[in-house]
Amino acid sequence: MSSVPSFENACIAPAVTGPSDVWLLGVGYAGRLEAYIVSLANLNAPSARLIAAQVDSDAWTGLAERGCYPFVNTMNDPNSPILMQQFGILSYGTYVFPNGTIGPTGYFTNTTFVSPKMFSLSPAVDGINWFNALTNKRSIYTNSRWTGIRWRSNWALDARGSRDNALTEYPTDTPLLSVGTFELKASGSNSGYHTVFDTYGSGMVYSTVASSAPINNTFDNLLTLANPQPVDMNGITLSEKSIPVTMNSVGYILDQASDDTTMVYAISPSRDATLRRVGALSDVLPFKSSMAASYMNNKIVVYSSQGKPVFNTFDTVTRKWSGPGLVKSQLQVSDDLDDTSSKMPLAAIIGGVVGGLVVIAVAVFLIIRHRRKTRSPGNSAEKVDSGNTNADTAPVQQSPSPPPPPPTQQVVISEKIQQLQPSHLPQPQHSQQQQPQQQFIHQPQPIQQYGQFDIRPQQPLPHTIMYPDGQRQSYIYVPPTFVPVQQPYPDPNSPPYSQRAHSPPVPYTSGTSAASSPTSPQHPNSFHP
């Protein structure tokens, strides 16, 4: 065991080696990719052990962002790997296994992935992960930069990833971040949700349906997006520093609050499309732009490396932060998750104000009406006559106010006004014709395969959601349900899992077309070890 290393642009993911273990991957000096498993049993003194390392200065760089993604349906497998994907111009990916093996480095031809903030897992089933990803190039078939990706945990069975641009529905071209959600089931559930927030303060939820069938022709889709529904932002504005975290059926977002602390938001598209605040019931974590986030059981795990590397966790059930360096928040943030909270609902406040105004208006109307009756001309004449005791004195004449026009006259005037208005008002002329919406027709295109891994014999290796307008069901926050990860033990009847040899890729030289890189023109099925 050793101290936790400090990495720039690190990534973390839950590990299968223990209920308090997480992966920590980063790149050190001279392109050295290092993979650690860190025990968080004691957050104030976490311990790390080096599992594997790979030196490849032409593929790995500490300046590039990266993401670590577990295969959630194989977490009880002691050899279940994680996918490590690097982003930017060097968009290389590889597998890392708990036994110390790092797989070959590969990439998609002529494709780079923009950011882990636009690389969402949805769904995951039977040892397969599907992602919605934003690429650097717009497809000539779909006019979109979004693409679908499929990865299998058993690379000996399907030693490649697959990419397909045809998604049916295509999210915004100006995304801020995206987060995926899905129901964790053993098998048969190949649907989920893909939520995309844009830079204009709005969001959209898409239902996703994934295919695990083999790719036989260009019309076989990997991932389909459908039924877009707008997100109820609930008055929340996300910043460009926000960090998405997929925790099965709930998507969490960490963002910087106005007092520089970490604010937690949650969205559960399987319930409704509303973004809600998750108010912390404890001291909070200061926000740092270099944070890497993932999950562990029902907790959000955060790794920050500015100065001394630190791990913190946020329990989504108790809503409490743990770990060193917490501070008291200067904000009074109300909790949007429970509609039965003690705060007065806004609808009740508005209803009470309106009701009070109506009562006051009715009372004023009755008082004015009563005064008008007591001061009418007939009543005044009676008072004068009855009070006159001198018969020779002429009665006092009151000049009555002119009576209102008869009802028929009022109706005629109203009708004349109504007749004059339509015929004399100028009507707008719509001279500009409406342009037809451009429609993109999906044409046959080759499915880009992730580089074919050279596995030698001696090596082991429709779901739809509807939200009716004007209807909003009461919502009570329910944290995601997790099945505790038991300590995995190898099957005594299974053959031993030997270490896989690694062949580094051909060195990449910038500007050389024959070099091995994600942006060099190569055959889509080729792999360059």
Side-chain angles (χ1 to χ4, degrees), residues 109-133:
T109 305
N110 297 328
T111 300
T112 61
F113 299 115
V114 175
S115 169
K117 295 183 180 182
M118 278 75 77
F119 198 84
S120 302
L121 174 62
S122 172
V125 63
D126 295 336
I128 308 176
N129 285 351
W130 287 267
F131 295 88
N132 291 276

Side-chain angles (χ1 to χ4, degrees), residues 34-77:
E34 299 178 356
Y36 291 83
I37 289 183
V38 182
S39 174
L40 302 182
N42 183 359
L43 283 174
N44 293 315
S47 57
R49 56 189 176 96
L50 180 64
I51 301 299
Q54 181 186 103
V55 178
D56 187 349
S57 59
D58 296 302
W60 310 126
T61 172
L63 301 178
E65 294 181 291
R66 71 198 74 257
C68 294
Y69 307 94
F71 291 89
V72 293
N73 289 91
T74 62
M75 292 293 287
N76 288 329
D77 182 358

Side-chain angles (χ1 to χ4, degrees), residues 30 36 96 119 154 160 214 266 300 306 342 389 430 445 455 474 516:
Y36 291 83
V96 182
F119 198 84
N154 190 343
R160 59 184 178 271
I300 299 174
Q306 292 181 352
S342 59
T389 57
H430 300 278
Q445 59 171 320
I455 300 180
S474 61
S516 175

Side-chain angles (χ1 to χ4, degrees), residues 209-247:
V209 178
S211 172
S212 58
I215 301 298
N216 297 321
N217 54 63
T218 56
F219 296 98
D220 292 336
N221 290 352
L222 298 177
L223 194 63
T224 300
L225 302 185
N227 192 30
Q229 300 289 335
V231 175
D232 180 1
M233 297 299 293
N234 207 11
I236 298 170
T237 301
L238 300 176
S239 75
E240 60 181 7
K241 297 180 180 180
S242 52
I243 303 172
V245 178
T246 294
M247 190 184 290

Side-chain angles (χ1 to χ4, degrees), residues 193-513:
Y193 299 93
H194 178 54
T195 304
V196 182
F197 299 92
D198 59 32
T199 56
Y200 299 101
S202 61
M204 194 71 69
V205 174
Y206 299 85
S207 59
T208 60
V209 178
S211 172
S212 58
I215 301 298
N216 297 321
N217 54 63
T218 56
F219 296 98
D220 292 336
N221 290 352
L222 298 177
L223 194 63
T224 300
L225 302 185
N227 192 30
Q229 300 289 335
V231 175
D232 180 1
M233 297 299 293
N234 207 11
I236 298 170
T237 301
L238 300 176
S239 75
E240 60 181 7
K241 297 180 180 180
S242 52
I243 303 172
V245 178
T246 294
M247 190 184 290
N248 299 343
S249 62
V250 182
Y252 290 94
I253 298 174
L254 309 181
D255 202 358
Q256 184 177 21
S258 59
D259 62 347
D260 294 332
T261 59
T262 302
M263 185 71 69
V264 182
Y265 304 104
I267 186 169
S268 181
S270 60
R271 298 177 180 271
D272 62 17
T274 302
L275 183 65
R276 292 179 169 86
R277 298 174 180 83
V278 184
L281 303 180
S282 64
D283 291 347
V284 295
L285 177 68
F287 188 88
K288 298 179 181 179
S289 58
S290 62
M291 294 191 311
S294 185
Y295 74 95
M296 178 182 66
N297 299 323
N298 60 347
K299 298 178 180 179
I300 299 174
V301 182
V302 177
Y303 167 83
S304 56
S305 60
Q306 292 181 352
K308 180 182 178 181
V310 174
F311 277 94
N312 295 91
T313 61
F314 178 77
D315 193 314
T316 59
V317 177
T318 63
R319 304 205 301 248
K320 293 183 178 180
W321 284 98
S322 299
L326 302 181
V327 297
K328 292 188 178 297
S329 176
Q330 303 298 321
L331 303 177
Q332 297 294 330
V333 180
S334 60
D335 191 1
D336 297 327
L337 296 177
D338 192 349
D339 291 341
T340 61
S341 59
S342 59
K343 64 180 181 180
M344 177 83 63
L346 181 60
I349 297 175
I350 296 176
V353 172
V354 173
L357 293 177
V358 170
V359 172
I360 295 174
V362 171
V364 171
F365 172 76
L366 294 177
I367 293 174
I368 294 175
R369 184 179 179 183
H370 178 71
R371 289 183 177 179
R372 285 182 177 178
K373 285 184 177 181
T374 56
R375 297 178 181 179
S376 61
N379 292 339
S380 299
E382 290 179 359
K383 290 181 179 180
V384 172
D385 293 338
S386 60
N388 186 10
T389 57
N390 189 359
D392 297 335
T393 304
V396 179
Q397 298 294 331
Q398 298 288 337
S399 57
S401 59
T408 56
Q409 183 180 354
Q410 296 177 1
V411 173
V412 171
I413 295 174
S414 177
E415 290 178 354
K416 288 182 179 180
I417 294 176
Q418 294 178 1
Q419 292 174 2
L420 288 175
Q421 287 179 348
S423 61
H424 289 75
L425 292 178
Q427 299 297 326
Q429 300 296 329
H430 300 278
S431 60
Q432 184 180 1
Q433 297 181 356
Q434 183 177 3
Q435 298 293 333
Q437 183 178 3
Q438 185 177 3
Q439 182 177 6
F440 298 100
I441 302 176
H442 173 67
Q443 299 179 1
Q445 59 171 320
I447 302 295
Q448 291 201 8
Q449 307 289 349
Y450 195 83
Q452 178 73 38
F453 291 104
D454 184 13
I455 300 180
R456 297 174 176 82
Q458 66 270 19
Q459 297 174 348
L461 283 197
H463 187 81
T464 303
I465 56 175
M466 297 299 295
Y467 304 108
D469 295 337
Q471 297 183 10
R472 183 171 181 177
Q473 300 177 355
S474 61
Y475 178 86
I476 299 178
Y477 170 66
V478 179
T481 303
F482 290 86
V483 178
V485 178
Q486 300 179 357
Q487 184 72 20
Y489 296 96
D491 186 359
N493 298 323
S494 62
Y497 192 95
S498 60
Q499 298 241 346
R500 174 178 172 84
H502 166 69
S503 300
V506 176
Y508 164 64
T509 303
S510 178
T512 305
S513 61

